[in-house]
Amino acid sequence: MSYIFHLKIEKEKSYLSLRKDTLILDIKEWEEGRDMGRKLFENISKLLTENNMNASEISAFTIDSDIPENYTSMRIAETVKKVYTFGVTS
C-alpha cells in the first residue's frame, strides 16, 4: 500500500489530498493567500489525524501547480515538501 500526499496549487485555491495509489481518500482545500506554509502544515496534520495515520506511512509527497515555480506559494510548498520528506525519512 502506497499512501501519498498530493498538493494541487491553483491561482485561487490549494488542495491537499491523501491518496492510496490513485484513489483519493481525503482532501482539504483552502483559499490561496499569504499563509501557504501554515495552511499546508495544518492540513497535513489534519489529514494524518482524521485518517488515523502516522507520518511514516506516507511514501511520497507530490506537487502539481498551475502557477510558475518562482511564485512564493510554490517555493514555500516545495520547501515544506522537502522538510516533510526529510523529517519522515530521517
Side-chain angles (χ1 to χ4, degrees):
M1 259 182 264
S2 180
Y3 293 100
I4 299 166
F5 278 139
H6 178 81
L7 176 63
K8 172 71 175 166
I9 305 172
E10 296 177 349
K11 199 169 191 173
E12 302 292 325
K13 283 191 174 188
S14 293
Y15 308 86
L16 180 66
S17 60
L18 173 63
R19 299 176 181 211
K20 180 180 170 187
D21 298 317
T22 58
L23 177 67
I24 297 174
L25 302 175
D26 201 353
I27 191 165
K28 302 293 180 196
E29 67 179 68
W30 61 93
E31 297 292 324
E32 186 58 32
R34 298 189 180 275
D35 56 354
M36 173 59 83
R38 182 176 58 80
K39 291 288 191 178
L40 190 48
F41 278 119
E42 285 175 357
N43 286 296
I44 287 170
S45 179
K46 285 179 185 178
L47 285 173
L48 290 173
T49 301
E50 292 172 6
N51 291 281
N52 298 314
M53 295 183 69
N54 294 318
S56 61
E57 295 177 81
I58 306 299
S59 62
F61 192 129
T62 61
I63 300 174
D64 180 22
S65 177
D66 293 341
I67 63 173
E69 290 182 10
N70 64 342
Y71 276 43
T72 301
S73 289
M74 187 61 187
R75 289 184 294 168
I76 291 170
E78 286 290 344
T79 300
V80 170
K81 171 187 170 180
K82 289 175 185 175
V83 169
Y84 183 85
T85 303
F86 177 78
V88 171
T89 58
S90 295

